Amino acid sequence: QVQFVESGGALVQPGGSLRLSCAASGFILDGYAIGWFRRAPGKEREAVSCISTSGETETYANSVKGRFSISKDNAENSVSLQMNSLKPEDTAVYSCAIYSGGSVYDAINYRGWGKGTLVTVSS
């Protein structure tokens, strides 16, 4: 069975940095494209970033481009999201899942969702 466990969420001040981890079990992660999404209370789930099977192609939402960076660690069977220059609007629960084709920005094209980790950006 496919399972993800997200970790690394915390309270951080605006302008600060945080690194999230998405640990996979039940499959070998390097054979799949993996995406990060986020959801704030009362908001729709928003695509944040996706990384290809080989790790050579990355996509980012315009709102995080230049501030966030996605990467694979095949030895740890995990995907990380490095978040820099954090803003209050980045506050959300961040989740990861397997990309299955189609638009990388549409959550219906992903499966195996983790429960997520909470990121709070506040002064």
Side-chain angles (χ1 to χ4, degrees), residues 11-51:
L11 172 64
V12 63
Q13 293 185 333
S17 297
L18 208 57
R19 187 175 182 87
L20 306 184
S21 179
C22 174
S25 63
F27 70 104
I28 304 301
L29 185 147
D30 68 0
Y32 301 87
I34 308 296
W36 281 98
F37 283 72
R38 66 187 183 186
R39 190 168 192 171
K43 301 287 187 179
E44 294 286 335
R45 185 161 49 188
E46 176 189 21
V48 176
S49 182
C50 188
I51 187 166

Side-chain angles (χ1 to χ4, degrees), residues 99 101-107 109-110:
Y99 171 66
S103 173
V104 298
Y105 303 106
D106 194 336
N109 296 322
Y110 294 78

Side-chain angles (χ1 to χ4, degrees), residues 59-70:
T59 62
Y60 297 94
N62 288 334
S63 59
V64 307
K65 192 172 299 183
R67 300 188 297 118
F68 290 12
S69 179
I70 190 171

